[in-house]
Amino acid sequence: MKTPFLSSLIKAMGTRHIYSASTVDQMPMHVSSGLLFGDPDAIPVPDLDRTDFLLMIGANPYESNGSMCTAPDFPGRLERLLERGGTYVVVDPNRTKTAEKASWHLAPIPGTDAHLLLGLANVLFSEGLVDLGAVAGLLDGIDELQVAVRPFTPGVVASVTGLDESHITQLARDLAAAKTAAVYGRIGSQTNVFGTLASWAVDVINILTGNLDRPGGAMFSLPGHTATGKGTGRGFTLHRWTSRVSGTGEARAEMPAATMADEITIEGDGQLRALVVVAGNPVLSTPNSNKLDHALGQLDYMVSVDPWLNETSRRANIILPPPGPLSRSHYDVGLTRLAVRNVAKWSPALVPTTRPGEWEILARLTMVFQGLGGNGDLDTFTDNLIAQRVQRFAGVGGLSVEELLALTDGPNRTPADRLLDVMIRSSHWGDRFGENPDGINLASLEADPHGLDLGPMIPRLPNVLKTPDGRINILPAPIATDVDRLTDDLLTERPEGQFLLVGRRHLRSNNSWMHNVPVLVKGKNRCTLLVHPSDGDALGLVGGSTARVTSAVGTLDVAVELSDKIRPGVVSLPHGWGHDLPGTSLTTASANAGVNANVLTDHQALDPLSGNAQLNAIPVTVEAVITDPAPLELAAN
Ligand SMILES: Nc1nc2c(c(=O)[nH]1)N[C@H]1C(S)=C(S)[C@@H](COP(=O)(O)OP(=O)(O)OC[C@H]3O[C@@H](n4cnc5c(=O)[nH]c(N)nc54)[C@H](O)[C@@H]3O)O[C@H]1N2
Ligand SMILES: Nc1nc2c(c(=O)[nH]1)N[C@H]1C(S)=C(S)[C@@H](COP(=O)(O)OP(=O)(O)OC[C@H]3O[C@@H](n4cnc5c(=O)[nH]c(N)nc54)[C@H](O)[C@@H]3O)O[C@H]1N2
Ligand SMILES: [Mo]
């Protein structure tokens, strides 16, 4: 979610070179929601607290606390789901903690979730289990979908996914039989070349089982700053322009983060020569990161807005460090839209700072790009920006933009807070500047430091839709074309002797930037390659020995951890490590450097619909590295 200041900076830069972590993460969800519901931000979230049956695909909330599903104490909520007699099923090639506690764990071959989900759809159709429920009247394309999933029979899908045919059938029947059910797919299922299809197919199963938008199913959250919507809109457009280096189309005006290195190094019109990085460490977090690291070194100019001198910011000509999170007020505009209850929470800045806030850094950078200079008049700039943003609320409570702004002014209000106040007061829950006296505003949130619980999610169809006709086409044209690609993939031969590399997360880590905090990295080495003992035997690897892992783009040596939790033929390595590059000032992190998994991920392996990178199911070879043969020879003598 871009803040108004980041958006204005991007606009002032006037560039199509826009990249973010979205294309190494959840862009598939935006694209599938855009195509289905007309709004890339209308993302259904599982109703964790009320569901009877939860199917989780490629997510490990016991470590991650969940993602694109905002739920304080996600694991506790799963435990309560089981306690009330519910079921949760995990699909993951690794028997994670989440999987270990599950009612049922299925360990597929990585990269086959879209195939599996369409296999479930196939069973629902062929066994007459489709029950659309309340959304039936809004849906188009069901017959076309039924035809499209015909090739995905449980038998064919079993051979692609490595799962039992009977398990696939059973899972579909269980989903259909559950009083309420929700399917939830995340990183493991979406960071691959069929990512958008996997995301779309999650919604498809929720729709076919009558669980979209019903309590206990997958619902649209309505946090304190949002309106219910009109039920129609301009719809979603995709691929309005294409990348000159990869041919991939834009998604939400973004280009694939994986293509940044080529954009910098390949000469020609539109070559990327200068970069502003805000809160990103792509040298560790994006594919073929060695290549990107070298490419950053070739830029004419680079700015990093980041508190750390890390692997990426070390490449910058100038680093502008923002003050820490406790020195700014906070209301989460993005992640509350994905919360499992309707909520609103604002917290004030707690620690005073004399340094410019991040919003001011971005505002001054924007003024530089606007030709006003970094020392331009900040007040005028922010007043104009906020006034522009408030335009769309003109008329709320019968007030003009000027009147709205006057009502939000206050001695300790940052510009972002003033805008937020207008959003909250104009929302479904807001006081509408007096029209709705029981409604909320920023002052009422301030008086409630623990935040407001506005209740469980409520059905939002059809209002949440932004499609031009106010309907849902379950098989939008770009998806239909991509299903053909998936159908062809059913017949693709998988090479022998190859391992598939997947990632994992750990509770005490957060991508790349928690490794310089001693208390979070102490203890045993966590940056290990998980190898199944049977594969270890075959390869001559034991716990603690070194494996050499080689992919299409890179190679690295890493310590082995044997584990029967991982599916044979699959190896797992966490990301965000590899802190041994010169020129950083990360003392603790460099002493616990680990290796960078993204040395192995391929910048050219992309999901064509979303531009999302393939970060899981990477084909690799694994071999033992003989690190120290000399002592053995001595012993023989
Ligand atoms: N402690 C901690 N919390 C975090 C983060 C962190 O780094 N540390 N990162 C945050 C971020 S940015 C995000 S996006 C979220 C992500 O949150 P999650 O989506 O829960 O991500 P992971 O914990 O990586 O779990 C992904 C799982 O997918 C499995 N997997 C890999 N490949 C496949 C596949 O092809 N199919 C299936 N079905 N499974 C597969 C992996 O084995 C792994 O268990 O976590 C957030 N929370
Ligand atoms: N192989 C593999 N790669 C992955 C993933 C995977 O599962 N496997 N996961 C992917 C996912 S889901 C994601 S989201 C990306 C994350 O990719 P990135 O966002 O690039 O990675 P982070 O390590 O989260 O970097 C955050 C940066 O923000 C800085 N920062 C912290 N606080 C602030 C602040 O208040 N202001 C500013 N301006 N900066 C701040 C940190 O110092 C750090 O440099 O990684 C992706 N990469
Ligand atoms: Mo992420």
Side-chain angles (χ1 to χ4, degrees), residues 59 176 274 289 383 391 494 618 636:
S289 44
D383 283 350
Q391 286 296 340
R494 320 270 147 184
I618 314 293

PDB file of all heavy atoms in Angstrom, residues 59 176 274 289 383 391 494 618 636:
ATOM      1  N   ALA A  59       1.046 -21.883   3.032  1.00  0.00           N
ATOM      2  CA  ALA A  59       1.151 -20.863   4.080  1.00  0.00           C
ATOM      3  C   ALA A  59       1.564 -21.542   5.376  1.00  0.00           C
ATOM      4  O   ALA A  59       1.182 -22.679   5.636  1.00  0.00           O
ATOM      5  CB  ALA A  59      -0.187 -20.168   4.275  1.00  0.00           C
ATOM      6  N   ALA A 176     -17.000 -29.634   0.119  1.00  0.00           N
ATOM      7  CA  ALA A 176     -18.413 -29.459  -0.244  1.00  0.00           C
ATOM      8  C   ALA A 176     -19.320 -29.807   0.936  1.00  0.00           C
ATOM      9  O   ALA A 176     -20.370 -29.197   1.111  1.00  0.00           O
ATOM     10  CB  ALA A 176     -18.744 -30.330  -1.451  1.00  0.00           C
ATOM     11  N   ALA A 274      18.654   5.597 -13.056  1.00  0.00           N
ATOM     12  CA  ALA A 274      18.679   6.116 -11.681  1.00  0.00           C
ATOM     13  C   ALA A 274      17.522   5.503 -10.925  1.00  0.00           C
ATOM     14  O   ALA A 274      16.487   5.182 -11.504  1.00  0.00           O
ATOM     15  CB  ALA A 274      18.553   7.645 -11.682  1.00  0.00           C
ATOM     16  N   SER A 289      19.844 -12.413  -7.535  1.00  0.00           N
ATOM     17  CA  SER A 289      20.215 -11.192  -6.835  1.00  0.00           C
ATOM     18  C   SER A 289      21.667 -10.792  -7.057  1.00  0.00           C
ATOM     19  O   SER A 289      21.980  -9.603  -6.993  1.00  0.00           O
ATOM     20  CB  SER A 289      19.906 -11.348  -5.351  1.00  0.00           C
ATOM     21  OG  SER A 289      20.324 -12.603  -4.924  1.00  0.00           O
ATOM     22  N   ASP A 383      -0.141  20.922   1.952  1.00  0.00           N
ATOM     23  CA  ASP A 383      -1.527  21.400   1.866  1.00  0.00           C
ATOM     24  C   ASP A 383      -2.127  21.061   0.500  1.00  0.00           C
ATOM     25  O   ASP A 383      -3.255  20.588   0.404  1.00  0.00           O
ATOM     26  CB  ASP A 383      -1.600  22.920   2.096  1.00  0.00           C
ATOM     27  CG  ASP A 383      -1.457  23.251   3.584  1.00  0.00           C
ATOM     28  OD1 ASP A 383      -1.501  22.309   4.407  1.00  0.00           O
ATOM     29  OD2 ASP A 383      -1.280  24.444   3.916  1.00  0.00           O
ATOM     30  N   GLN A 391     -10.269  15.819  -2.497  1.00  0.00           N
ATOM     31  CA  GLN A 391     -11.252  16.142  -3.556  1.00  0.00           C
ATOM     32  C   GLN A 391     -12.386  15.124  -3.629  1.00  0.00           C
ATOM     33  O   GLN A 391     -13.556  15.484  -3.698  1.00  0.00           O
ATOM     34  CB  GLN A 391     -10.577  16.168  -4.945  1.00  0.00           C
ATOM     35  CG  GLN A 391      -9.705  17.366  -5.235  1.00  0.00           C
ATOM     36  CD  GLN A 391     -10.472  18.679  -5.265  1.00  0.00           C
ATOM     37  OE1 GLN A 391     -11.680  18.710  -5.436  1.00  0.00           O
ATOM     38  NE2 GLN A 391      -9.749  19.779  -5.061  1.00  0.00           N
ATOM     39  N   ARG A 494       8.449 -34.270 -16.185  1.00  0.00           N
ATOM     40  CA  ARG A 494       9.334 -33.674 -15.162  1.00  0.00           C
ATOM     41  C   ARG A 494      10.697 -34.370 -15.230  1.00  0.00           C
ATOM     42  O   ARG A 494      10.754 -35.595 -15.223  1.00  0.00           O
ATOM     43  CB  ARG A 494       8.775 -33.858 -13.754  1.00  0.00           C
ATOM     44  CG  ARG A 494       7.286 -33.689 -13.624  1.00  0.00           C
ATOM     45  CD  ARG A 494       6.858 -32.265 -13.313  1.00  0.00           C
ATOM     46  NE  ARG A 494       5.560 -32.036 -13.961  1.00  0.00           N
ATOM     47  CZ  ARG A 494       4.893 -30.888 -13.994  1.00  0.00           C
ATOM     48  NH1 ARG A 494       5.412 -29.825 -13.422  1.00  0.00           N
ATOM     49  NH2 ARG A 494       3.750 -30.779 -14.606  1.00  0.00           N
ATOM     50  N   ILE A 618      11.915 -24.204  -7.477  1.00  0.00           N
ATOM     51  CA  ILE A 618      13.048 -23.897  -8.368  1.00  0.00           C
ATOM     52  C   ILE A 618      13.795 -25.201  -8.664  1.00  0.00           C
ATOM     53  O   ILE A 618      14.264 -25.864  -7.731  1.00  0.00           O
ATOM     54  CB  ILE A 618      14.066 -22.950  -7.670  1.00  0.00           C
ATOM     55  CG1 ILE A 618      13.362 -21.795  -6.963  1.00  0.00           C
ATOM     56  CG2 ILE A 618      15.139 -22.485  -8.640  1.00  0.00           C
ATOM     57  CD1 ILE A 618      12.682 -20.832  -7.843  1.00  0.00           C
ATOM     58  N   ALA A 636      44.446 -42.324   7.203  1.00  0.00           N
ATOM     59  CA  ALA A 636      44.706 -43.566   6.500  1.00  0.00           C
ATOM     60  C   ALA A 636      46.180 -43.946   6.603  1.00  0.00           C
ATOM     61  O   ALA A 636      46.531 -45.116   6.636  1.00  0.00           O
ATOM     62  CB  ALA A 636      44.293 -43.416   5.039  1.00  0.00           C
TER      63      ALA A 636
END
